[in-house]
Amino acid sequence: MSQEQPSRPKEPVKYGDVFEVSGELADKPIAPEDAKMMQSEETRVFGHTQKGGPAAVMQSAATVNRRGGFVHPGDKTELVAERGVTVEQTVPASTVTTEFVGGQVVGQHVEPRRIVAAARTDEEALQSTITIGEALEATVKTAGNKPVDQSDAAAIQAAEMRASGTNVIAIAGVAASAQSAADYNATVDRDERKIKLRDVLTGAAGKLSADRAVTREDAEGVVSAEMRNNPKLCTHPGGVAASLTVAARLNERVDI
């Protein structure tokens, strides 16, 4: 009796299957040379590839696609070849590393800037951690092109209230702007005409009446708010809740 051979996948693993990307890139199979390009970029910036990072995900997907006969060794996605693969770092109060494929964000790492001192003041402690405002701003890198909806507005409102320590929403604050954007977008059909998260959250830290380091409780509150207001009862990958969650985890490594 012959042993049954494992069935081959019917479709390749595409960028849209593993990353929160859109447009033409989302429908492109991940090719071996794409993965090599990201591995090279991660090694350049970090000194090695990130465990579970975009390069590792792309390598796994490319291997599956090659075994399925959808791509071949040496293949490169034309769009990726044209627009490139990059890893960029910005260093405000925290180091934000953002990874791009074909001009779209596929990963982000946020590391708090640490201050080495015998004794730290409250201000120094704040500078060595990620604040709520900074976490909101980081969302611009990971989901800036997402049209603002009610789940985003609710998450931003929860974040602003936790930053200020009150239940009062500032009239011209970030939360009010997000709610206005969500209300407007609900009346617009085409995504390109909608207000995006980047329009609301750019410079968010400077728009808050108060700010402080993100805690696990803050992140849980924001996650709950975003999920409750999403018809699918889930959070958006790389969105507001995700940014607060990453920041809270990193802050737990720092004595705040």
Side-chain angles (χ1 to χ4, degrees), residues 164-193:
S164 65
T166 71
N167 292 324
V168 178
I169 301 301
I171 295 177
V174 180
S177 296
Q179 186 59 61
S180 295
D183 292 342
Y184 170 79
N185 287 348
T187 67
V188 179
D189 294 329
R190 299 173 61 181
D191 282 356
E192 57 266 30
R193 297 179 56 192

Side-chain angles (χ1 to χ4, degrees), residues 98-164:
T98 308
E99 303 187 49
F100 299 85
V101 172
Q104 297 196 51
V105 175
V106 297
Q108 183 184 62
H109 312 272
V110 184
E111 289 291 344
R113 185 181 65 194
R114 298 174 184 269
I115 295 178
V116 180
R120 298 187 303 177
T121 65
D122 290 343
E123 182 178 354
E124 289 173 333
L126 182 62
Q127 289 179 343
S128 67
T129 58
I130 303 170
T131 68
I132 291 174
E134 289 168 349
L136 290 175
E137 290 181 354
T139 309
V140 175
K141 290 284 188 180
T142 55
N145 290 327
K146 179 185 183 298
V148 181
D149 61 23
Q150 187 55 47
S151 67
D152 301 316
I156 294 168
Q157 177 178 321
E160 182 177 291
M161 289 193 298
R162 287 183 170 274
S164 65

Side-chain angles (χ1 to χ4, degrees), residues 190-242:
R190 299 173 61 181
D191 282 356
E192 57 266 30
R193 297 179 56 192
K194 293 182 178 181
I195 300 171
K196 310 298 194 298
L197 279 174
R198 65 171 180 268
D199 301 319
V200 173
L201 295 178
T202 297
K207 299 174 185 177
L208 296 176
S209 60
D211 203 2
R212 60 177 178 78
V214 183
T215 66
R216 181 184 299 182
E217 290 73 22
D218 296 329
E220 290 174 349
V222 173
V223 168
S224 177
E226 188 169 316
M227 290 182 64
R228 286 198 311 271
N229 289 273
N230 187 320
K232 297 181 180 179
L233 296 178
C234 64
T235 59
H236 183 78
V240 176

Side-chain angles (χ1 to χ4, degrees), residues 16 30 67 76 91 131 150 169 200 212 243 251:
I30 299 177
R67 290 175 178 171
K76 180 186 298 184
V91 187
T131 68
Q150 187 55 47
I169 301 301
V200 173
R212 60 177 178 78
S243 292
N251 284 350

